[in-house]
């Protein structure tokens, strides 16, 4: 019973408490209502004041215009336009870009007047359009903000750009696209540059990969978002050209020193990588290979020039400390370009080819396609420099004091025949074998690839090595070697002709003074002693050439033929020699004419007997004989009575060769005749002065004018007879 009385009492207490809470809530609602009413009153008061101010400034328009807020507040809350604007505000606040774009698209589709900018619109429509466009502008700023975020995701970027395109902001969207890719590229480059010093040869290729891959991706994304419009394509091209120019500038600023092989290797790899990337871009209609090569050309030419100049300096230094190596070259693998036949070599030739091989080894295929012709020309200049260095190492006649020396300090001089021939053999091997072998190994394989680079069509034409260019290059190498050969022959002949006192061995007075010491007619007719000494000297040189120029038969014959021809040329052109015959105070004898003609036949027979006949020598000999007969005829000597038959001269010259070969070929020390004693004296004198001739300036000049190449052949060291 007591329990049932307590339960109704507790319920009544709870009811009383609830009633008190309801009373408090009613008071709170009442207070809030008063506050809202006061707020609305204040707002309407402010609007009235603002309208009054507006009416004072423009009385004629005050009744026709209302603010957007006033109109919205006076609109019916169920107006769909108000609802749309509120929906857009909510979506913009929540950054629901796709939903906002959908609402905008539908509204513009349902209300074409929103895109109409005409002035015949009602105030209501115009105000709504302004409010609509205002929210559209807010959306544009929101999309731009998304694109400008430093670490925007690719998907978000694509959505934002698509949104701008939907809003009609195509130009702005494309500009933002290029800016995003440009900033991304710049960031990659900035992160990479501090470490590029550790990758001196490949850093340019890495930069090329960064730049051209970014251009490719930007172009691809542009086509996906904006289509293949000419205006958009032009903007891509302009932006890409700017990035390529910046790339070339970075390469130039970070390359190793221009004269190093690292710089050559780096720029070569850069060209190879850049052109490969350009060929990929050309499939997208973007052609930048010509621009790339034009921008890189100054740097490439500087690096090539500096590298070849450095090699030329090294070659010039070799002559100061060169040492002869009289050991045959060891066989080398076929892949090594310095492999050659068994020939005496010197360190300068090896050093030259090592430098050339190392330098050509830095080049890449596409680099060679564009600069093969330039490299050939520079190799030719390099060999010209090498020839000049070799000439400095040979004995030479000074123009000032008739002392054999060259300007400048030269520590190494090739004094003996073997040393001089070794220098010639080296130069010949370099020109005839090693340089062409290097070109065939590194450059010629690129000739067939001209047609394989179709990606470059319309951009810039590769300038590799054609067969005509290669043949012309070989011809120039021959001319350079001919200069060295002719210099050697000139100095060698001058050494033989002139004694240390400056007297000429081949003096025409021996033909006008009767039977002198130089003529032997007591038993059998023989050539004059100078020509016998010449024959002995040539025999001695043949022996040396067989040892030094081993397996170089063609070079040996060419050299001996040119030496013999040089002697005949000197006789033909040396005016002092002919002045003796033309001097009317000197009595000429038929014996002298006969001896001169025999000497000429003898020297012609030497070439045939030695296996190096020359048409030029026979022509020069015939010209000398004809000239001599003419001079003697003018001086009153009848050739018909004074001279035997032509067969006699030829037979006598051959017999003289066989006779002179007897004592020279024998090991016996006996000398059977006085003429042989005299002959050995002449040979001994020649051996004492192998490279120290002296001559008058006039003789040197007249000889120089006559010794230049009379004949040129299209192949290297053609046979003298052809």
């Amino acid at each position: 019973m007591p329990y049932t009385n307590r339960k109704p009492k507790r319920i009544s207490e709870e009811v009383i408490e609830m009633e008190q809470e309801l009373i408090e809530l009613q008071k709170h609602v009442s207070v809030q209502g008063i506050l809202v009413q006061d707020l609305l009153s204040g707002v309407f008061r402010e609007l009235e004041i603002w309208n009054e101010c507006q009416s004072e400034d423009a009385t004629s328009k005050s009744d026709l215009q209302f603010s957007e807020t006033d109109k919205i507040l006076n609109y019916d809350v169920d107006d769909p336009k108000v609802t749309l604007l509120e929906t857009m505000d909510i979506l913009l606040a929540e950054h629901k870009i796709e939903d906002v774009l959908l609402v905008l698209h539908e509204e513009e589709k349902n209300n074409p007047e929103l895109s109409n900018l005409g002035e015949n619109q009602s105030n209501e429509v115009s105000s709504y359009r302004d409010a609509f466009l205002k929210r559209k502008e807010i959306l544009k700023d929101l999309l731009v903000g998304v694109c400008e975020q430093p670490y925007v995701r690719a998907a978000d970027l694509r959505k934002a750009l698509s949104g701008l395109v939907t809003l009609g902001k195509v130009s702005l969207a494309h500009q933002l696209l290029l800016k995003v890719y440009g900033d991304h590229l710049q960031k990659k480059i900035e992160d990479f540059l501090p470490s590029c010093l550790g990758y001196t040869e490949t850093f340019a290729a890495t930069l090329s990969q960064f730049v051209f891959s970014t251009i490719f991706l930007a172009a691809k994304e542009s086509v996906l978002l904006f289509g293949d419009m000419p205006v958009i394509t032009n903007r891509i091209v302009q932006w890409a050209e700017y990035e390529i120019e910046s790339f070339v500038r970075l390469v130039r600023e970070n390359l190793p020193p221009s004269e190093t092989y690292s710089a050559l290797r780096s720029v070569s790899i850069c060209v190879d990588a850049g052109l490969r990337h350009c060929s990929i871009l050309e499939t997208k209609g973007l052609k930048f290979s010509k621009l790339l090569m034009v921008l890189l050309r100054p740097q490439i030419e500087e690096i090539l020039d500096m590298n070849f100049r450095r090699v030329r300096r090294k070659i010039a230094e070799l002559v100061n400390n060169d040492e002869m190596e009289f050991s045959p070259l060891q066989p080398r693998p076929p892949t090594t370009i310095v492999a050659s036949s068994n020939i005496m070599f010197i360190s300068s030739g090896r050093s030259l080819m090592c430098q050339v091989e190392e330098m050509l080894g830095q080049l890449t295929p596409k680099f060679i396609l564009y600069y093969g012709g330039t490299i050939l020309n520079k190799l030719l200049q390099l060999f010209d420099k090498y020839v000049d260095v070799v000439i400095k190492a040979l004995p030479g006649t000074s123009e000032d004091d008739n002392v054999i020396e060259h300007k400048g300090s030269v520590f190494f001089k090739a004094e003996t025949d073997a040393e001089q021939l070794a220098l010639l053999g080296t130069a010949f091997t370099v020109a005839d074998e090693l340089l062409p072998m290097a070109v065939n190994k590194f450059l010629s394989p690129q000739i067939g690839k001209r047609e394989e680079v179709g990606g470059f069509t319309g951009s810039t034409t590769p300038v590799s090595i054609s067969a005509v260019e290669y043949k012309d290059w070989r011809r120039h190498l021959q001319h350079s070697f001919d200069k060295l050969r002719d210099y050697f022959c000139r100095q060698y002949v001058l050494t033989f002709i002139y004694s240390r006192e400056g007297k000429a061995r081949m003096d025409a007075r021996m033909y006008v003074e009767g039977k002198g010491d130089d003529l032997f007619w007591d038993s059998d007719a023989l050539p004059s002693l100078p020509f016998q000494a010449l024959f002995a000297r040539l025999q001695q040189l043949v022996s040396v050439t067989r040892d030094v120029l081993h397996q170089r038969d063609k070079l040996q014959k060419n050299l001996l033929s040119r030496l013999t021809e040089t002697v005949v040329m000197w006789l033909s052109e040396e005016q002092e020699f002919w002045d003796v015959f033309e001097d009317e105070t000197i009595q000429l004898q038929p014996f002298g004419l006969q001896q001169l003609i025999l000497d000429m036949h003898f020297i012609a027979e030497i070439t045939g007997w030695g296996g190096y006949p020359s048409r030029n020598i026979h022509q020069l000999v015939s010209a000398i004989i004809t000239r001599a007969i003419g001079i003697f005829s003018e001086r009153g000597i009848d050739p018909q009575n004074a001279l035997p038959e032509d067969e006699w001269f030829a037979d006598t010259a051959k017999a003289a060769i066989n006779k002179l070969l007897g004592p020279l070929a024998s090991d016996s020390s006996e000398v059977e005749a006085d003429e042989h004693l005299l002959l050995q004296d002449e040979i001994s004198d020649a051996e004492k002065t192998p490279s120290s001739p002296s001559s008058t300036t006039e003789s040197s000049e007249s000889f120089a004018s006559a010794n230049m190449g009379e004949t040129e052949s299209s192949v290297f060291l053609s046979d003298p007879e052809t």
Side-chain angles (χ1 to χ4, degrees):
M1 186 67 181
Y3 173 77
T4 56
N5 291 335
R6 284 198 300 271
K7 186 175 181 180
K9 183 179 179 179
R10 186 174 60 80
I11 294 174
S12 62
E13 289 176 357
E14 292 178 357
V15 171
I16 294 171
E17 290 177 1
M18 189 175 295
E19 288 177 351
Q20 289 178 353
E21 289 178 2
L22 289 175
I23 292 171
E24 292 295 331
L25 286 174
Q26 288 177 354
K27 290 179 181 180
H28 180 71
V29 171
S30 177
V31 172
Q32 294 298 322
I34 294 172
L35 291 176
V36 171
Q37 290 178 359
D38 291 342
L39 179 61
L40 290 175
S41 299
V43 171
F44 282 118
R45 179 58 183 167
E46 291 294 332
L47 290 175
E48 289 176 0
I49 295 173
W50 182 79
N51 287 331
E52 290 176 359
C53 293
Q54 290 293 97
S55 63
E56 291 177 359
D57 296 335
T59 306
S60 60
K61 297 182 179 179
S62 62
D63 296 333
L64 301 176
Q65 296 181 351
F66 299 92
S67 68
E68 177 189 345
T69 306
D70 186 46
K71 288 183 175 295
I72 293 174
L73 291 174
N74 287 281
Y75 282 158
D76 188 348
V77 292
D78 295 330
D79 191 332
K81 294 180 180 179
V82 176
T83 304
L84 178 67
L85 294 176
E86 291 177 348
T87 302
M88 291 179 64
D89 290 338
I90 295 172
L91 294 175
L92 288 172
E94 296 177 353
H95 286 196
K96 295 183 177 181
I97 296 175
E98 295 181 357
D99 295 337
V100 179
L101 288 171
L102 183 59
V103 171
L104 284 173
H105 179 70
E106 291 296 331
E107 186 64 14
E108 287 180 340
K109 182 179 179 181
N110 296 330
N111 296 284
E113 66 273 6
L114 293 176
S115 302
N116 187 7
L117 301 179
E119 298 181 357
N120 297 326
Q121 295 178 341
S122 63
N123 293 335
E124 180 181 352
V125 173
S126 178
S127 299
Y128 175 66
R129 184 175 62 82
D130 293 341
F132 183 83
L133 294 178
K134 181 178 180 180
R135 284 154 180 80
K136 192 174 182 180
E137 187 70 19
I138 294 173
L139 177 60
K140 184 206 75 172
D141 295 338
L142 183 62
L143 293 173
V144 171
V146 172
C147 296
E148 292 179 344
Q149 290 179 5
Y151 298 103
V152 61
R153 296 187 307 170
D156 294 337
L157 175 64
R158 191 175 294 110
K159 290 179 181 179
L161 294 174
S162 299
L164 289 173
V165 172
T166 303
L167 294 178
K169 305 295 182 180
V170 177
S171 178
L172 176 61
H174 194 259
Q175 181 180 350
L176 289 171
L177 172 69
L178 298 181
K179 184 177 183 301
V180 169
Y181 276 97
D183 293 343
H184 179 66
L185 173 62
Q186 185 65 28
K187 182 66 169 59
K188 290 176 66 176
I189 292 176
E190 290 175 355
D191 293 340
F192 170 73
L193 283 181
S195 63
C196 71
L197 295 178
Y199 307 93
T200 55
E201 294 185 356
T202 60
F203 88 95
T206 304
L207 286 178
S208 175
Q209 175 69 29
F210 289 165
V211 172
F212 287 99
S213 62
T214 300
I215 294 174
F216 178 82
L217 292 175
K220 181 180 179 181
E221 193 70 18
S222 176
V223 172
L224 291 175
L225 292 173
F226 309 104
D228 193 13
M229 295 186 296
V231 175
I232 298 299
T233 302
N234 289 338
R235 289 175 181 169
I236 282 284
V237 170
Q238 293 174 2
W239 171 77
E241 289 177 349
Y242 171 79
E243 295 296 342
I244 293 174
E245 291 173 0
S246 300
F247 156 69
V248 173
R249 184 168 57 252
L250 281 174
V251 170
R252 183 166 55 248
E253 293 172 354
N254 293 277
L255 275 175
S258 297
E259 64 177 6
T260 62
Y261 287 145
S262 295
L264 182 60
R265 181 63 176 174
S266 180
V267 75
S268 182
I269 293 176
C270 176
V271 169
D272 199 74
L275 291 177
R276 186 170 60 252
H277 296 146
C278 286
S279 65
I280 296 174
L281 287 175
E282 287 190 3
T283 62
K284 302 295 182 181
L286 301 174
K287 301 179 180 180
F288 298 116
S289 55
K290 183 176 182 179
L291 173 66
L292 177 65
M293 298 309 297
V294 169
L295 294 175
L296 286 174
R297 179 177 294 276
Q299 192 68 26
I300 291 173
E301 291 179 348
E302 177 184 346
I303 292 175
L304 282 174
D305 184 66
M306 294 296 290
N307 271 269
F308 275 95
R309 189 176 300 177
R310 178 171 57 84
V311 176
R312 288 198 298 270
R313 286 199 304 269
K314 288 187 176 182
I315 293 173
E317 295 169 358
L318 287 173
V319 74
N320 293 334
N321 55 8
D322 211 348
E323 295 181 358
M324 297 294 295
E325 296 178 6
F326 288 98
S327 58
L329 282 176
Q330 297 299 323
R332 302 197 179 190
T335 56
T336 305
I337 68 169
V338 292
S340 179
S341 299
N342 203 17
I343 183 173
M344 296 298 182
F345 221 108
I346 59 174
S347 59
S348 61
R350 278 207 181 103
S351 178
L352 169 65
M353 291 313 305
C354 287
Q355 295 285 339
V356 169
E357 181 185 26
E358 186 175 0
M359 185 162 48
L360 294 180
Q362 310 303 319
L363 308 181
T364 57
K366 286 187 172 60
F367 186 92
I368 295 172
L369 277 173
Y370 280 84
Y371 290 96
T374 302
I375 295 169
L376 271 189
N377 291 333
K378 290 190 176 295
L379 286 175
L380 185 60
Q381 295 171 10
L382 194 62
F383 183 73
D384 287 339
K385 178 64 178 179
Y386 175 71
V387 167
D388 293 339
V389 169
V390 173
I391 287 177
K392 288 182 179 180
L394 293 174
T397 303
S398 172
E399 296 180 358
D400 297 330
D401 53 5
N402 296 328
V403 178
I404 298 180
E405 64 179 359
H406 282 281
K407 295 181 179 179
S409 177
V410 179
F411 296 99
F412 173 77
K413 276 288 187 180
E415 298 292 346
T416 66
D417 290 348
E419 291 174 344
Q420 296 177 32
L421 289 173
L423 285 172
L424 262 69
T426 299
F428 172 78
T429 304
V430 169
D432 190 50
E433 290 185 12
L434 302 184
L435 274 179
M437 198 182 302
V439 169
N440 289 332
K441 177 181 178 181
F442 291 103
L443 306 185
S444 293
Q446 306 308 317
I447 298 176
K449 295 185 179 181
R450 281 190 175 190
E451 303 301 327
E452 299 177 12
V453 289
F456 300 127
T457 304
S459 302
T460 180
T461 304
V463 185
S464 186
I465 307 167
S466 66
V468 175
E469 291 170 334
Y470 180 73
K471 185 177 181 180
D472 187 62
W473 178 73
R474 290 293 302 270
R475 187 181 298 112
H476 280 87
L477 282 179
Q478 173 194 344
H479 293 165
S480 295
F481 177 78
D482 287 348
K483 181 177 70 172
L484 173 62
R485 179 203 61 190
D486 292 344
Y487 179 87
F488 166 79
C489 291
R490 180 169 78 97
Q491 298 306 322
Y492 197 89
V493 168
L494 288 177
T495 301
F496 170 78
I497 291 177
Y498 289 97
S499 66
R500 291 182 177 180
E501 293 75 20
K503 297 180 180 180
R505 260 196 194 92
M506 295 182 178
D507 192 344
R509 289 180 177 82
M510 65 183 178
Y511 297 114
V512 298
E513 294 175 354
K515 295 183 178 180
D517 293 338
D518 291 334
L519 306 177
F520 299 94
W521 289 79
D522 292 336
S523 55
D524 297 328
L526 288 175
S528 57
L529 186 58
F531 285 89
Q532 296 181 42
L534 173 64
F535 177 66
R537 188 67 176 271
L538 289 175
Q539 287 298 104
Q540 179 187 11
L541 191 62
V542 167
S543 177
V544 178
T545 56
R546 287 173 180 170
D547 295 334
V548 177
L549 303 179
H550 183 58
Q551 294 185 356
R552 288 291 182 274
D553 295 340
K554 199 168 187 178
L555 175 60
Q556 295 177 34
K557 292 180 179 180
N558 180 272
L559 186 60
L560 293 170
S561 175
R562 187 63 176 175
L563 275 170
T564 309
E565 182 181 339
T566 303
V567 175
V568 182
M569 288 169 60
W570 183 88
L571 289 172
S572 176
E573 299 294 332
E574 183 59 36
Q575 189 57 41
E576 289 184 1
F577 180 85
W578 295 101
D579 287 343
V580 174
F581 298 127
E582 295 173 353
D583 188 354
E584 295 182 358
T585 62
I586 297 177
Q587 182 67 33
L588 299 182
Q589 300 294 334
F591 178 85
L593 178 61
Q594 185 175 351
Q595 181 66 54
L596 175 60
I597 295 176
L598 176 60
D599 289 342
M600 293 300 100
H601 278 275
F602 176 71
I603 200 170
E605 290 297 332
I606 288 176
T607 61
W609 172 85
Y612 47 92
S614 169
R615 184 181 295 110
N616 290 336
I617 292 177
H618 284 276
Q619 292 175 349
L620 288 170
V621 165
S622 298
I624 291 174
I625 293 174
T626 301
R627 183 177 180 180
I629 292 175
I631 293 175
F632 275 75
S633 298
E634 292 177 359
R635 299 289 303 277
I637 295 179
D638 185 7
Q640 298 293 333
N641 298 327
L643 300 177
E645 299 294 331
D646 291 341
E647 291 77 6
W648 180 89
F649 288 104
D651 295 340
T652 302
K654 293 177 181 178
I657 291 176
N658 293 327
K659 184 175 182 179
L660 293 174
L661 282 175
L664 289 176
S666 174
D667 294 331
S668 175
S669 59
E670 292 185 349
V671 182
E672 299 177 354
D674 292 339
E675 61 264 29
H676 298 310
L677 290 173
L678 292 174
L679 176 60
Q680 295 300 324
D681 290 339
E682 288 294 334
I683 297 175
S684 175
D685 183 57
E687 291 176 346
K688 291 179 182 178
T689 59
S691 57
S692 302
S694 59
S695 62
T696 61
T697 304
E698 293 82 0
S699 298
S700 297
E701 291 177 350
S702 63
F703 179 80
S705 65
N707 89 89
M708 301 309 294
E710 298 292 328
T711 59
E712 295 180 354
S713 58
S714 58
V715 295
F716 206 90
L717 285 183
S718 62
D719 190 87
E721 191 64 33
T722 58

